[in-house]
């Protein structure tokens, strides 16, 4: 049993992670400002409501618990907003995250798993994108993730902080038991938006661009079940707890689905009609993002379980219908 601090544990991925850590017998403390998270998403764990900007709250938390490792999910995630308000992204995703590192250093906690993103790559030069693909983010959100990854490498060299950065492709799905799911306000992600149309909570879904150089003209993404993402974190945690070294990995299924394929799968799973309108491309959207995640499979022994898009959508639909 290990004691784990989960920042952002009241958010979509962090809340699933917290539940899975507890299921594996670990003790979890969630540190979340609730700016985007929900307190009822924290199941069977202590919740500290505070912002990473609050150094004193962080210090009090580390003084109260002797953590073995930290999982860092807290962060802002909207690409469009990051272009309009980069200060918010650099302040939170970089500067406030540095507070976390300084307190970890002070209290001698030297293991961290970091929520990174495929957004660090920018426009792909080759598909699938392997871990050695050049990184050239197209927006402050992606830059903030890359900068923090680089900071982590420097902290390893200088202070021996071991970290594993996990670059997620498109997180999707929900807890198969229906206790947790995706809740963003405003919602910007494709699958929950299409499901809101299916449930009658939204009139239509707008497809952002239909003349991309892809199979049907719409953007292709690599959707990965949130529970499979969490399993990779469990394996990364094991590596660090056993004294393993710092690393970074892509997490995706290496299957690309177009926006129209997602909409059609939602129709099949829900048996509802989906009203679709076509709009312009969204700024900064690459045509295709598909992961080469072999390194995570070989080095972490990771095996995604819910690889089928229909299964991810089924779990998300169960949550939408709660
Ligand atoms: N899309 C639409 N209409 C919508 C919403 C999305 O057509 O109303 C399209 C987008 O253009 C994109 C695809 O659906 O092609 C998926 O869009 P999402 O917003 O669901 O996800 P993104 O691919 O933009 O972003 C996700 C995460 C980011 C992360 C990125 C990395 O939300 O945090 O993947 O690739 F950085």
């Amino acid at each position: 049993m290990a004691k784990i601090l989960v920042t952002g544990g009241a958010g979509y991925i962090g809340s699933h992670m917290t539940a899975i850590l507890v299921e594996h017998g670990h003790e979890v403390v969630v540190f979340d400002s609730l700016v985007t998270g929900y307190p009822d998403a924290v199941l069977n764990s202590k919740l500290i409501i505070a912002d990473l900007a609050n150094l004193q709250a962080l210090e009090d938390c580390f003084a109260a618990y002797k953590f073995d490792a930290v999982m860092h999910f807290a962060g802002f995630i909207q690409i469009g907003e990051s272009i309009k308000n980069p200060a918010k992204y650099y302040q939170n995703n970089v500067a406030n995250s540095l507070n976390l590192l300084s307190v970890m250093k002070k209290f001698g906690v030297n293991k961290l798993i970091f929520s990174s993103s495929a957004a660090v790559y920018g426009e792909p030069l080759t598909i699938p994108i392997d871990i050695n693909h050049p990184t050239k983010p197209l927006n402050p959100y992606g830059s903030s993730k890359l900068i923090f990854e680089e900071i982590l490498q420097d902290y390893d060299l200088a202070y021996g902080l071991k970290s594993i950065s996990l670059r997620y492709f498109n997180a999707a799905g929900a807890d198969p038991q229906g206790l947790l799911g995706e809740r963003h306000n405003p919602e910007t992600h494709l699958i929950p938006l299409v499901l809101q149309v299916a449930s009658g909570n939204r009139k239509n879904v707008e497809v952002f661009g239909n003349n991309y150089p892809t199979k049907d003209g719409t953007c292709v993404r690599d959707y990965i079940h949130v529970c499979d993402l969490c399993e990779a974190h469990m394996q990364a945690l094991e590596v660090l707890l056993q004294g393993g070294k710092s690393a970074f990995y892509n997490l995706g299924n290496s299957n690309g689905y177009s926006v129209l394929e997602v909409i059609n799968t939602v129709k099949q799973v829900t048996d509802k009609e989906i009203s679709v309108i076509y709009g312009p491309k969204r700024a900064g959207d690459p045509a295709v993002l598909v992961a080469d995640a072999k390194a995570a499979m070989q080095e972490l022994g990771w095996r995604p379980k819910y690889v089928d898009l229909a299964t991810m959508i089924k779990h998300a639909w169960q949550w939408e219908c709660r």
Side-chain angles (χ1 to χ4, degrees), residues 77 79 117-119 141 168-170 188-191 193 205-208 219-221 223 259 282 285-286 289:
I77 61 162
I79 288 173
S117 168
Y141 166 74
Y168 314 154
F169 282 65
N170 287 58
T188 60
H189 295 94
L190 180 65
I191 293 176
L193 286 172
V205 63
E206 180 176 347
V207 173
F208 297 146
C219 283
V220 169
R221 293 289 179 272
Y223 296 89
V259 173
R282 189 171 65 176
D285 260 344
L289 286 173

Side-chain angles (χ1 to χ4, degrees), residues 51-317:
D51 200 289
L52 291 175
N54 184 343
L55 203 52
Q56 189 59 52
L58 270 172
E59 293 203 355
D60 292 348
C61 170
F62 276 73
Y65 301 91
K66 210 182 159 326
F67 294 117
D68 297 296
V70 175
M71 290 194 181
H72 181 33
F73 294 93
F76 292 130
I77 61 162
Q78 286 182 40
I79 288 173
E81 183 187 53
S82 82
I83 297 168
K84 290 196 198 98
N85 191 357
K88 178 173 173 179
Y89 280 71
Y90 291 120
Q91 182 61 47
N92 192 52
N93 296 4
V94 180
N96 295 350
S97 296
L98 271 174
N99 280 349
L100 174 66
L101 296 189
S102 73
V103 177
M104 287 177 67
K105 185 164 161 272
K106 180 166 174 184
F107 285 83
V109 179
N110 63 358
K111 297 174 179 64
L112 178 93
I113 297 176
F114 174 53
S115 257
S116 189
S117 168
V120 300
Y121 295 113
E123 187 68 52
L125 305 172
T126 47
I127 294 287
I129 301 172
D130 74 25
I131 199 69
N132 298 314
H133 185 287
T135 46
K136 205 165 178 290
L138 297 173
N139 48 65
Y141 166 74
S143 298
S144 73
K145 292 290 179 185
L146 185 60
I147 290 167
F148 198 69
E149 281 192 7
E150 286 166 351
I151 290 172
L152 288 174
Q153 292 177 47
D154 294 339
Y155 271 55
D156 185 3
L157 281 177
Y159 313 123
L161 176 97
K162 299 297 166 199
S163 68
I164 296 187
S165 293
L166 298 173
R167 296 174 175 170
Y168 314 154
F169 282 65
N170 287 58
D175 164 37
Q177 276 146 39
L179 298 177
L180 296 166
E182 190 166 4
R183 269 189 276 179
H184 295 116
N185 189 12
E187 188 52 76
T188 60
H189 295 94
L190 180 65
I191 293 176
L193 286 172
V194 184
L195 290 173
Q196 286 174 12
V197 179
S199 65
N201 287 324
R202 187 176 287 270
K203 264 183 42 208
N204 50 47
V205 63
E206 180 176 347
V207 173
F208 297 146
N210 61 351
N211 62 349
Y212 282 99
T214 59
K215 46 190 156 189
D216 58 23
T218 65
C219 283
V220 169
R221 293 289 179 272
D222 184 347
Y223 296 89
I224 170 84
H225 197 291
V226 62
C227 293
D228 285 331
L229 284 183
C230 293
E231 280 308 318
H233 289 66
M234 287 303 306
Q235 277 136 357
L237 176 68
E238 251 347 280
V239 167
L240 291 185
L241 291 176
Q242 284 167 18
K245 56 184 192 333
S246 295
F248 28 100
Y249 298 105
N250 285 335
L251 297 180
N253 277 313
S254 308
N255 287 328
Y257 292 97
S258 72
V259 173
L260 291 180
E261 284 173 330
V262 169
I263 294 171
N264 283 330
T265 311
V266 170
K267 282 187 196 164
Q268 282 159 22
V269 169
T270 64
D271 206 18
K272 305 276 184 197
E273 270 315 302
I274 305 292
S275 164
V276 174
I277 56 172
Y278 289 90
K281 289 180 176 174
R282 189 171 65 176
D285 260 344
V288 180
L289 286 173
V290 173
D292 174 337
K294 281 201 279 296
M297 296 186 170
Q298 282 160 5
E299 292 170 31
L300 298 176
W302 179 57
R303 293 286 174 276
K305 205 158 111 194
Y306 305 109
V307 295
D308 176 39
L309 181 66
T311 306
M312 296 181 222
I313 289 177
K314 198 174 119 224
H315 293 159
W317 178 233

